Amino acid sequence: TDIAAGRARLVAHSAAFLPEGYGALRTARFGWRARTAEFYQNFEERALFYDVFRHQDGEQVLLIGPPPRNLLPMLKRARYTVKGAKERFMPKFFISQSVMIIALRGVPKSADILHVQIDDLEFALPIGENFVRELAGRRVLFTISKNNPLPWIRAWADYHQRFQDVDAIVLLDNGSSNASLDKIAKELEKTSVEKIYLLSMPYIFGAIDNGVLFNPFWTNFLQLVFNSLVLRRFGAHAEGLLNCDIDEFAFHRSAPTVFDGLKQTSHGLLAMNGS
């Protein structure tokens, strides 16, 4: 359940994982290549979905997670149903190297739990709210944070609010042990940012895969899925989306803000060099 804490909102999510030691687990690309034990400790082999939520159109439900790899046949033969609806919903898959989205059309708007049966496994996944309309026209700053000091988080948010006109923040906490989500929320509320959304996903972040030379970061599933999640659940109608780590402060060399610079681009995209 989502919890409102002052201006901040603690947003619930719906995740599904295969049991440890299950007969089928996600395999790495080029699995015959040698990897270190550390790689396999940080390779997410069990996550099916990190979140389940309504599409902004209200007519679809999206399931978003890591790429299925060898698990795709399981997900294709799975049953996706809701209570009170006789029919099963046929999934449409959108898959890249690092992200999978499953779209289910025609899920009744009254449905609040999605039931997924995969072979001998059953999951009851609450369907999350979509916040795209709430953040329409906003300047959204988003990040993943773990164990960053609270004053750093506050300074990061305050800078981007004061100098980049950010008026909304979406922060995913990746299992911090130094502060609770509620304390992070209270720290962000000390700034003038108007809309604050926080999620807690204490899952594997990923590992550098030296077995894939041209994209060794493909296994950073949580980060790459979160980028897609922010767009589809929060920021599809925002004026702009700015992604910065807690130790990164964005600025534009010639425009008043990075969002003003964004308006000057032909494709609506700014790539930043770091220093």
Side-chain angles (χ1 to χ4, degrees):
T1 303
D2 298 350
I3 300 174
R7 291 198 322 283
R9 186 162 184 171
L10 311 186
V11 178
H13 70 283
S14 296
F17 287 77
L18 295 169
E20 289 190 24
Y22 191 70
L25 299 171
R26 178 179 292 100
T27 57
R29 296 169 62 196
F30 309 113
W32 49 270
R33 292 179 178 172
R35 267 89 165 189
T36 64
E38 181 181 5
F39 168 81
Y40 285 106
Q41 290 172 0
N42 292 288
F43 177 70
E44 181 53 81
E45 60 183 4
R46 296 193 302 115
L48 295 174
F49 318 117
Y50 289 134
D51 203 5
V52 179
F53 56 93
R54 285 277 171 190
H55 188 276
Q56 58 179 306
D57 64 12
E59 302 298 326
Q60 300 179 75
V61 167
L62 302 182
L63 301 88
I64 188 166
R69 299 280 304 143
N70 55 300
L71 304 178
L72 182 58
M74 289 175 53
L75 295 173
K76 283 189 172 181
R77 65 176 177 263
R79 291 178 58 88
Y80 302 85
T81 59
V82 298
K83 186 177 181 180
K86 293 182 180 180
E87 74 275 13
R88 54 189 288 187
F89 302 99
M90 300 308 296
K92 187 173 183 179
F93 291 83
F94 302 87
I95 300 171
S96 70
Q97 287 187 353
S98 302
V99 180
M100 175 191 68
I101 297 173
I102 298 176
L104 304 176
R105 292 188 177 276
V107 179
K109 293 182 179 180
S110 59
D112 56 358
I113 303 289
L114 178 69
H115 297 274
V116 182
Q117 183 174 349
I118 306 174
D119 296 340
D120 58 336
L121 302 174
E122 293 187 15
F123 302 94
L125 304 171
I127 300 171
E129 180 182 353
N130 191 289
F131 300 100
V132 164
R133 291 185 180 179
E134 285 188 19
L135 293 178
R138 297 279 183 173
R139 296 182 169 193
V140 180
L141 172 67
F142 70 99
T143 198
I144 296 179
S145 174
K146 182 173 183 178
N147 288 333
N148 284 298
L150 291 178
W152 285 20
I153 296 175
R154 179 182 174 185
W156 168 84
D158 186 58
Y159 167 85
H160 287 100
Q161 187 278 318
R162 292 172 59 197
F163 298 107
Q164 302 301 324
D165 290 339
V166 161
D167 56 9
I169 284 177
V170 182
L171 184 146
L172 186 154
D173 185 79
N174 187 215
S176 293
S177 57
N178 66 326
S180 66
L181 207 63
D182 186 59
K183 287 185 177 180
I184 297 172
K186 286 180 168 57
E187 198 70 21
L188 288 172
E189 286 176 344
K190 294 176 183 178
T191 71
S192 298
V193 177
E194 296 176 16
K195 297 277 188 178
I196 302 167
Y197 302 85
L198 297 100
L199 301 89
S200 174
M201 293 188 181
Y203 310 137
I204 291 173
F205 184 83
I208 297 175
D209 185 4
N210 292 320
V212 179
L213 301 180
F214 295 104
N215 185 9
F217 301 102
W218 77 279
T219 61
N220 289 349
F221 300 141
L222 188 63
Q223 179 187 34
L224 297 166
V225 168
F226 182 57
N227 291 348
S228 187
L229 172 65
V230 168
L231 173 64
R232 288 165 177 81
R233 194 175 180 190
F234 294 92
H237 293 319
E239 179 181 329
L241 297 167
L242 174 61
N243 179 219
C244 290
D245 290 345
I246 299 298
D247 61 348
E248 296 174 343
F249 294 76
F251 73 96
H252 198 285
R253 294 183 185 276
S254 56
T257 72
V258 290
F259 297 97
D260 294 308
L262 188 64
K263 294 176 183 178
Q264 302 170 11
T265 66
S266 59
H267 293 83
L269 176 67
L270 275 177
M272 296 181 288
N273 294 319
S275 62

